Amino acid sequence: RYADEAVHIVSALQMAGFPHVVGSLWHVVDAIGAEVARGVYEALHTGGGALDVARTAGALHATVRALRDLYPETPSLWACQVHAGP
């Protein structure tokens, strides 16, 4: 009856056509979410306003590793970040 109810927002965005999606598995502190977005977009920026989205997984990985180094005793702040894509 509710076949789409189990679809996570990350999967829903992929089904909508976005090849790379970054999301979280649970609620995150706003400042951490902003830091993740900043780190990922800075890593993807190639200059001139272009983004190299093929590097999304690596960009998220580097951003989460930096957060892990800052908050090693609080994985609830950084461990929820996921990338879905090729």
Side-chain angles (χ1 to χ4, degrees), residues 17-78:
F18 292 93
H20 295 273
V21 182
V22 172
S24 64
L25 298 175
W26 56 80
H27 174 78
V28 295
V29 175
D30 288 344
I32 297 296
E35 185 64 24
V36 170
R38 184 196 61 74
V40 169
Y41 277 102
E42 282 183 358
L44 296 180
H45 193 266
T46 61
L51 297 175
D52 182 4
V53 296
R55 298 187 333 220
T56 303
L60 179 62
H61 178 74
T63 301
V64 170
R65 289 293 304 258
L67 286 170
R68 188 179 85 173
D69 291 344
L70 286 174
Y71 308 103
E73 300 296 322
T74 317
S76 62
L77 294 176
W78 46 264

